[in-house]
Amino acid sequence: GECDPYRFLEPALAELLRANVMYEEATAEIPWAPVSKPLAESRISLVSTAGLSMKGDEPFDMDGERRRPSWGDPSWRRLDRSVTADTVQAHHLHIETSHLLTDLDVCFPAPLLRDLEAEGVIGEAAPSHYSIMGFQGADLRRLQPSCREIAEAMVAEDVDLALFVPV
């Protein structure tokens, strides 16, 4: 079936967004980089769009999103490689976050990544993983500073591959 990004909103708000949020087709080519070494030797980091943060860290701004329904917090959060459902919090108005925390692998497979590391399937999980809030309305350019900072942080930690986990 089709994915409804407004499923968990109040019906009136969902209709308002359906009528006013415009999506545009991607026009630029994605600059994919070739994989340079075997998976079993690679350091891997995760990036989720679930609006996750470590407990005790600043949550994503849902009050701003409530005031402006077509706006999403464009900032990012760093998550520790040892993150578990007990050490993370989810802040996102467009998904049912309780399901994410029941099984963290659904939106942020850090536990699975650690298992793959222990089995030798991957070289290692990176020291840090990252989360953004996926709902950004039509202007994705607002995410550019966060994307640049996340990429710089990955370079600083010698990350070989990033696994993007959209929700």
Side-chain angles (χ1 to χ4, degrees), residues 37 41-47 76-82 113 124-130 149-162:
K37 61 174 145 178
E41 298 173 15
S42 297
R43 177 178 274 189
I44 301 174
S45 184
L46 302 171
V47 180
W76 60 281
R77 303 293 181 276
R78 185 184 306 261
L79 297 137
D80 188 82
R81 69 169 263 129
S82 64
L113 199 62
E124 65 181 320
S128 302
H129 302 299
Y130 306 90
E149 290 168 12
I150 290 170
E152 289 169 358
M154 286 183 184
V155 168
E157 289 188 344
D158 295 320
V159 171
D160 298 304
L161 299 170

mmCIF file of all heavy atoms in Angstrom, residues 37 41-47 76-82 113 124-130 149-162:
data_model
loop_
_atom_site.group_PDB
_atom_site.id
_atom_site.type_symbol
_atom_site.label_atom_id
_atom_site.label_comp_id
_atom_site.label_asym_id
_atom_site.label_seq_id
_atom_site.Cartn_x
_atom_site.Cartn_y
_atom_site.Cartn_z
ATOM 1 N N LYS A 37 36.151 -0.707 0.398
ATOM 2 C CA LYS A 37 36.728 -1.865 1.071
ATOM 3 C C LYS A 37 35.629 -2.849 1.445
ATOM 4 O O LYS A 37 34.452 -2.489 1.452
ATOM 5 C CB LYS A 37 37.558 -1.458 2.265
ATOM 6 C CG LYS A 37 36.853 -0.727 3.366
ATOM 7 C CD LYS A 37 37.848 -0.544 4.516
ATOM 8 C CE LYS A 37 37.739 0.689 5.291
ATOM 9 N NZ LYS A 37 38.644 0.823 6.392
ATOM 10 N N GLU A 41 35.434 -5.193 6.766
ATOM 11 C CA GLU A 41 36.506 -4.313 7.227
ATOM 12 C C GLU A 41 36.022 -2.867 7.391
ATOM 13 O O GLU A 41 36.815 -1.978 7.704
ATOM 14 C CB GLU A 41 37.660 -4.333 6.226
ATOM 15 C CG GLU A 41 38.311 -5.683 6.055
ATOM 16 C CD GLU A 41 39.336 -5.699 4.933
ATOM 17 O OE1 GLU A 41 39.753 -4.604 4.473
ATOM 18 O OE2 GLU A 41 39.701 -6.805 4.501
ATOM 19 N N SER A 42 34.730 -2.636 7.196
ATOM 20 C CA SER A 42 34.196 -1.278 7.161
ATOM 21 C C SER A 42 33.620 -0.822 8.495
ATOM 22 O O SER A 42 33.025 -1.596 9.233
ATOM 23 C CB SER A 42 33.093 -1.183 6.098
ATOM 24 O OG SER A 42 33.633 -1.434 4.816
ATOM 25 N N ARG A 43 33.811 0.454 8.776
ATOM 26 C CA ARG A 43 33.193 1.117 9.942
ATOM 27 C C ARG A 43 31.900 1.751 9.438
ATOM 28 O O ARG A 43 31.915 2.549 8.502
ATOM 29 C CB ARG A 43 34.129 2.173 10.508
ATOM 30 C CG ARG A 43 33.514 2.936 11.676
ATOM 31 C CD ARG A 43 34.477 3.928 12.246
ATOM 32 N NE ARG A 43 35.314 3.253 13.230
ATOM 33 C CZ ARG A 43 36.154 3.883 14.043
ATOM 34 N NH1 ARG A 43 36.279 5.197 13.980
ATOM 35 N NH2 ARG A 43 36.866 3.213 14.922
ATOM 36 N N ILE A 44 30.788 1.431 10.106
ATOM 37 C CA ILE A 44 29.473 1.840 9.625
ATOM 38 C C ILE A 44 28.761 2.696 10.660
ATOM 39 O O ILE A 44 28.761 2.397 11.849
ATOM 40 C CB ILE A 44 28.623 0.594 9.288
ATOM 41 C CG1 ILE A 44 29.338 -0.229 8.207
ATOM 42 C CG2 ILE A 44 27.220 0.990 8.834
ATOM 43 C CD1 ILE A 44 28.686 -1.536 7.877
ATOM 44 N N SER A 45 28.125 3.756 10.166
ATOM 45 C CA SER A 45 27.322 4.645 10.999
ATOM 46 C C SER A 45 25.893 4.650 10.474
ATOM 47 O O SER A 45 25.653 4.450 9.288
ATOM 48 C CB SER A 45 27.901 6.059 10.959
ATOM 49 O OG SER A 45 27.192 6.909 11.837
ATOM 50 N N LEU A 46 24.947 4.884 11.369
ATOM 51 C CA LEU A 46 23.527 4.940 11.026
ATOM 52 C C LEU A 46 23.034 6.378 11.021
ATOM 53 O O LEU A 46 23.476 7.195 11.826
ATOM 54 C CB LEU A 46 22.699 4.162 12.048
ATOM 55 C CG LEU A 46 23.031 2.687 12.233
ATOM 56 C CD1 LEU A 46 22.264 2.131 13.424
ATOM 57 C CD2 LEU A 46 22.707 1.916 10.974
ATOM 58 N N VAL A 47 22.072 6.664 10.138
ATOM 59 C CA VAL A 47 21.374 7.949 10.126
ATOM 60 C C VAL A 47 19.889 7.636 10.023
ATOM 61 O O VAL A 47 19.441 7.002 9.080
ATOM 62 C CB VAL A 47 21.789 8.839 8.939
ATOM 63 C CG1 VAL A 47 21.035 10.159 8.968
ATOM 64 C CG2 VAL A 47 23.288 9.086 8.931
ATOM 65 N N TRP A 76 20.079 18.228 14.118
ATOM 66 C CA TRP A 76 20.436 16.813 14.184
ATOM 67 C C TRP A 76 20.902 16.471 15.587
ATOM 68 O O TRP A 76 21.222 17.344 16.378
ATOM 69 C CB TRP A 76 21.513 16.462 13.157
ATOM 70 C CG TRP A 76 22.814 17.217 13.329
ATOM 71 C CD1 TRP A 76 23.076 18.494 12.937
ATOM 72 C CD2 TRP A 76 24.010 16.741 13.960
ATOM 73 N NE1 TRP A 76 24.367 18.845 13.274
ATOM 74 C CE2 TRP A 76 24.960 17.780 13.900
ATOM 75 C CE3 TRP A 76 24.374 15.541 14.552
ATOM 76 C CZ2 TRP A 76 26.250 17.655 14.412
ATOM 77 C CZ3 TRP A 76 25.659 15.413 15.058
ATOM 78 C CH2 TRP A 76 26.577 16.459 14.978
ATOM 79 N N ARG A 77 20.929 15.168 15.877
ATOM 80 C CA ARG A 77 21.396 14.683 17.170
ATOM 81 C C ARG A 77 22.392 13.549 16.959
ATOM 82 O O ARG A 77 22.227 12.720 16.074
ATOM 83 C CB ARG A 77 20.241 14.151 18.032
ATOM 84 C CG ARG A 77 19.118 15.138 18.287
ATOM 85 C CD ARG A 77 19.565 16.306 19.156
ATOM 86 N NE ARG A 77 18.473 17.229 19.420
ATOM 87 C CZ ARG A 77 18.097 18.211 18.611
ATOM 88 N NH1 ARG A 77 18.728 18.414 17.467
ATOM 89 N NH2 ARG A 77 17.095 19.001 18.951
ATOM 90 N N ARG A 78 23.395 13.530 17.822
ATOM 91 C CA ARG A 78 24.386 12.447 17.832
ATOM 92 C C ARG A 78 23.905 11.389 18.824
ATOM 93 O O ARG A 78 23.479 11.712 19.922
ATOM 94 C CB ARG A 78 25.743 12.986 18.258
ATOM 95 C CG ARG A 78 26.862 11.954 18.193
ATOM 96 C CD ARG A 78 28.165 12.532 18.735
ATOM 97 N NE ARG A 78 28.533 13.778 18.082
ATOM 98 C CZ ARG A 78 29.430 13.874 17.095
ATOM 99 N NH1 ARG A 78 30.040 12.807 16.656
ATOM 100 N NH2 ARG A 78 29.709 15.052 16.571
ATOM 101 N N LEU A 79 23.986 10.131 18.401
ATOM 102 C CA LEU A 79 23.606 9.013 19.259
ATOM 103 C C LEU A 79 24.822 8.114 19.454
ATOM 104 O O LEU A 79 25.588 7.883 18.520
ATOM 105 C CB LEU A 79 22.453 8.233 18.637
ATOM 106 C CG LEU A 79 21.188 9.076 18.505
ATOM 107 C CD1 LEU A 79 20.539 8.861 17.165
ATOM 108 C CD2 LEU A 79 20.232 8.757 19.612
ATOM 109 N N ASP A 80 24.991 7.624 20.638
ATOM 110 C CA ASP A 80 26.122 6.761 20.965
ATOM 111 C C ASP A 80 25.944 5.387 20.338
ATOM 112 O O ASP A 80 24.830 4.881 20.236
ATOM 113 C CB ASP A 80 26.227 6.638 22.494
ATOM 114 C CG ASP A 80 27.488 5.929 22.908
ATOM 115 O OD1 ASP A 80 28.542 6.574 22.961
ATOM 116 O OD2 ASP A 80 27.412 4.710 23.149
ATOM 117 N N ARG A 81 27.033 4.748 19.975
ATOM 118 C CA ARG A 81 26.969 3.419 19.355
ATOM 119 C C ARG A 81 26.315 2.394 20.268
ATOM 120 O O ARG A 81 25.785 1.403 19.806
ATOM 121 C CB ARG A 81 28.351 2.946 18.917
ATOM 122 C CG ARG A 81 29.284 2.624 20.084
ATOM 123 C CD ARG A 81 30.570 1.905 19.674
ATOM 124 N NE ARG A 81 30.376 0.485 19.874
ATOM 125 C CZ ARG A 81 30.610 -0.444 18.968
ATOM 126 N NH1 ARG A 81 31.080 -0.128 17.796
ATOM 127 N NH2 ARG A 81 30.389 -1.711 19.219
ATOM 128 N N SER A 82 26.306 2.629 21.579
ATOM 129 C CA SER A 82 25.715 1.681 22.519
ATOM 130 C C SER A 82 24.233 1.953 22.778
ATOM 131 O O SER A 82 23.639 1.357 23.673
ATOM 132 C CB SER A 82 26.479 1.721 23.847
ATOM 133 O OG SER A 82 26.336 3.001 24.444
ATOM 134 N N LEU A 113 23.315 -3.803 14.275
ATOM 135 C CA LEU A 113 24.648 -3.465 13.774
ATOM 136 C C LEU A 113 25.728 -3.993 14.723
ATOM 137 O O LEU A 113 26.743 -4.535 14.275
ATOM 138 C CB LEU A 113 24.769 -1.949 13.599
ATOM 139 C CG LEU A 113 25.884 -1.443 12.706
ATOM 140 C CD1 LEU A 113 25.710 -1.928 11.276
ATOM 141 C CD2 LEU A 113 25.932 0.080 12.737
ATOM 142 N N GLU A 124 33.125 -2.767 12.054
ATOM 143 C CA GLU A 124 32.673 -2.258 13.349
ATOM 144 C C GLU A 124 31.602 -1.200 13.169
ATOM 145 O O GLU A 124 31.505 -0.557 12.130
ATOM 146 C CB GLU A 124 33.833 -1.682 14.158
ATOM 147 C CG GLU A 124 34.477 -0.462 13.539
ATOM 148 C CD GLU A 124 35.635 0.061 14.375
ATOM 149 O OE1 GLU A 124 35.539 0.083 15.609
ATOM 150 O OE2 GLU A 124 36.642 0.465 13.762
ATOM 151 N N ALA A 125 30.806 -1.053 14.221
ATOM 152 C CA ALA A 125 29.859 0.059 14.288
ATOM 153 C C ALA A 125 30.671 1.294 14.678
ATOM 154 O O ALA A 125 31.563 1.218 15.527
ATOM 155 C CB ALA A 125 28.780 -0.221 15.323
ATOM 156 N N ALA A 126 30.357 2.412 14.050
ATOM 157 C CA ALA A 126 31.067 3.654 14.345
ATOM 158 C C ALA A 126 30.792 4.088 15.786
ATOM 159 O O ALA A 126 29.796 3.687 16.380
ATOM 160 C CB ALA A 126 30.620 4.737 13.369
ATOM 161 N N PRO A 127 31.656 4.928 16.351
ATOM 162 C CA PRO A 127 31.427 5.428 17.712
ATOM 163 C C PRO A 127 30.135 6.229 17.847
ATOM 164 O O PRO A 127 29.532 6.249 18.904
ATOM 165 C CB PRO A 127 32.638 6.327 17.986
ATOM 166 C CG PRO A 127 33.680 5.887 17.018
ATOM 167 C CD PRO A 127 32.945 5.384 15.811
ATOM 168 N N SER A 128 29.711 6.884 16.755
ATOM 169 C CA SER A 128 28.510 7.722 16.784
ATOM 170 C C SER A 128 27.585 7.380 15.633
ATOM 171 O O SER A 128 28.027 6.995 14.546
ATOM 172 C CB SER A 128 28.878 9.200 16.670
ATOM 173 O OG SER A 128 29.738 9.594 17.702
ATOM 174 N N HIS A 129 26.294 7.560 15.898
ATOM 175 C CA HIS A 129 25.260 7.478 14.884
ATOM 176 C C HIS A 129 24.498 8.798 14.952
ATOM 177 O O HIS A 129 24.732 9.616 15.850
ATOM 178 C CB HIS A 129 24.327 6.292 15.154
ATOM 179 C CG HIS A 129 25.034 4.984 15.201
ATOM 180 N ND1 HIS A 129 25.739 4.455 14.143
ATOM 181 C CD2 HIS A 129 25.146 4.079 16.205
ATOM 182 C CE1 HIS A 129 26.250 3.284 14.484
ATOM 183 N NE2 HIS A 129 25.897 3.032 15.735
ATOM 184 N N TYR A 130 23.524 9.000 14.038
ATOM 185 C CA TYR A 130 22.902 10.316 13.910
ATOM 186 C C TYR A 130 21.410 10.204 13.638
ATOM 187 O O TYR A 130 20.944 9.230 13.069
ATOM 188 C CB TYR A 130 23.590 11.104 12.773
ATOM 189 C CG TYR A 130 25.070 11.149 12.996
ATOM 190 C CD1 TYR A 130 25.903 10.163 12.490
ATOM 191 C CD2 TYR A 130 25.634 12.144 13.778
ATOM 192 C CE1 TYR A 130 27.262 10.167 12.746
ATOM 193 C CE2 TYR A 130 27.000 12.164 14.032
ATOM 194 C CZ TYR A 130 27.803 11.164 13.520
ATOM 195 O OH TYR A 130 29.144 11.176 13.786
ATOM 196 N N GLU A 149 27.249 18.953 8.615
ATOM 197 C CA GLU A 149 27.859 18.702 9.919
ATOM 198 C C GLU A 149 27.914 17.205 10.234
ATOM 199 O O GLU A 149 28.909 16.722 10.792
ATOM 200 C CB GLU A 149 27.081 19.452 11.000
ATOM 201 C CG GLU A 149 27.253 20.955 10.917
ATOM 202 C CD GLU A 149 26.278 21.724 11.792
ATOM 203 O OE1 GLU A 149 25.604 21.101 12.648
ATOM 204 O OE2 GLU A 149 26.179 22.952 11.620
ATOM 205 N N ILE A 150 26.886 16.467 9.878
ATOM 206 C CA ILE A 150 26.900 15.017 10.080
ATOM 207 C C ILE A 150 28.000 14.385 9.239
ATOM 208 O O ILE A 150 28.759 13.541 9.721
ATOM 209 C CB ILE A 150 25.523 14.400 9.754
ATOM 210 C CG1 ILE A 150 24.501 14.806 10.817
ATOM 211 C CG2 ILE A 150 25.621 12.880 9.640
ATOM 212 C CD1 ILE A 150 23.054 14.447 10.461
ATOM 213 N N ALA A 151 28.118 14.802 7.984
ATOM 214 C CA ALA A 151 29.172 14.260 7.111
ATOM 215 C C ALA A 151 30.560 14.566 7.681
ATOM 216 O O ALA A 151 31.446 13.695 7.687
ATOM 217 C CB ALA A 151 29.030 14.833 5.704
ATOM 218 N N GLU A 152 30.761 15.774 8.186
ATOM 219 C CA GLU A 152 32.049 16.134 8.787
ATOM 220 C C GLU A 152 32.341 15.288 10.015
ATOM 221 O O GLU A 152 33.477 14.861 10.240
ATOM 222 C CB GLU A 152 32.068 17.628 9.134
ATOM 223 C CG GLU A 152 32.125 18.517 7.917
ATOM 224 C CD GLU A 152 31.876 19.990 8.225
ATOM 225 O OE1 GLU A 152 31.615 20.349 9.400
ATOM 226 O OE2 GLU A 152 31.937 20.800 7.272
ATOM 227 N N ALA A 153 31.310 15.031 10.831
ATOM 228 C CA ALA A 153 31.491 14.195 12.021
ATOM 229 C C ALA A 153 31.850 12.765 11.621
ATOM 230 O O ALA A 153 32.695 12.128 12.260
ATOM 231 C CB ALA A 153 30.216 14.207 12.876
ATOM 232 N N MET A 154 31.238 12.266 10.558
ATOM 233 C CA MET A 154 31.564 10.919 10.083
ATOM 234 C C MET A 154 33.003 10.849 9.570
ATOM 235 O O MET A 154 33.710 9.877 9.843
ATOM 236 C CB MET A 154 30.590 10.485 8.990
ATOM 237 C CG MET A 154 29.220 10.128 9.501
ATOM 238 S SD MET A 154 28.207 9.542 8.117
ATOM 239 C CE MET A 154 26.647 9.297 8.940
ATOM 240 N N VAL A 155 33.415 11.850 8.852
ATOM 241 C CA VAL A 155 34.804 11.887 8.359
ATOM 242 C C VAL A 155 35.761 11.888 9.546
ATOM 243 O O VAL A 155 36.760 11.166 9.560
ATOM 244 C CB VAL A 155 35.027 13.104 7.433
ATOM 245 C CG1 VAL A 155 36.506 13.316 7.163
ATOM 246 C CG2 VAL A 155 34.267 12.924 6.125
ATOM 247 N N ALA A 156 35.462 12.670 10.572
ATOM 248 C CA ALA A 156 36.322 12.748 11.759
ATOM 249 C C ALA A 156 36.419 11.402 12.484
ATOM 250 O O ALA A 156 37.427 11.126 13.132
ATOM 251 C CB ALA A 156 35.809 13.826 12.717
ATOM 252 N N GLU A 157 35.388 10.573 12.373
ATOM 253 C CA GLU A 157 35.392 9.261 13.020
ATOM 254 C C GLU A 157 35.748 8.136 12.047
ATOM 255 O O GLU A 157 35.538 6.965 12.341
ATOM 256 C CB GLU A 157 34.028 8.990 13.671
ATOM 257 C CG GLU A 157 33.782 9.852 14.888
ATOM 258 C CD GLU A 157 32.535 9.475 15.661
ATOM 259 O OE1 GLU A 157 31.657 8.754 15.140
ATOM 260 O OE2 GLU A 157 32.438 9.915 16.827
ATOM 261 N N ASP A 158 36.289 8.474 10.882
ATOM 262 C CA ASP A 158 36.733 7.494 9.887
ATOM 263 C C ASP A 158 35.635 6.502 9.497
ATOM 264 O O ASP A 158 35.879 5.294 9.356
ATOM 265 C CB ASP A 158 37.967 6.729 10.384
ATOM 266 C CG ASP A 158 39.164 7.635 10.548
ATOM 267 O OD1 ASP A 158 39.366 8.514 9.684
ATOM 268 O OD2 ASP A 158 39.895 7.483 11.551
ATOM 269 N N VAL A 159 34.426 7.007 9.299
ATOM 270 C CA VAL A 159 33.312 6.158 8.868
ATOM 271 C C VAL A 159 33.488 5.820 7.394
ATOM 272 O O VAL A 159 33.763 6.695 6.576
ATOM 273 C CB VAL A 159 31.966 6.870 9.115
ATOM 274 C CG1 VAL A 159 30.816 6.104 8.479
ATOM 275 C CG2 VAL A 159 31.736 7.050 10.607
ATOM 276 N N ASP A 160 33.345 4.531 7.072
ATOM 277 C CA ASP A 160 33.455 4.081 5.687
ATOM 278 C C ASP A 160 32.113 4.077 4.971
ATOM 279 O O ASP A 160 32.035 4.388 3.782
ATOM 280 C CB ASP A 160 34.041 2.666 5.643
ATOM 281 C CG ASP A 160 35.436 2.607 6.222
ATOM 282 O OD1 ASP A 160 36.311 3.358 5.743
ATOM 283 O OD2 ASP A 160 35.651 1.826 7.173
ATOM 284 N N LEU A 161 31.056 3.671 5.681
ATOM 285 C CA LEU A 161 29.729 3.553 5.080
ATOM 286 C C LEU A 161 28.680 4.115 6.029
ATOM 287 O O LEU A 161 28.782 3.944 7.253
ATOM 288 C CB LEU A 161 29.381 2.081 4.803
ATOM 289 C CG LEU A 161 30.287 1.318 3.853
ATOM 290 C CD1 LEU A 161 29.958 -0.165 3.879
ATOM 291 C CD2 LEU A 161 30.145 1.865 2.443
ATOM 292 N N ALA A 162 27.672 4.754 5.462
ATOM 293 C CA ALA A 162 26.544 5.239 6.241
ATOM 294 C C ALA A 162 25.286 4.503 5.780
ATOM 295 O O ALA A 162 25.047 4.369 4.590
ATOM 296 C CB ALA A 162 26.362 6.734 6.065
#
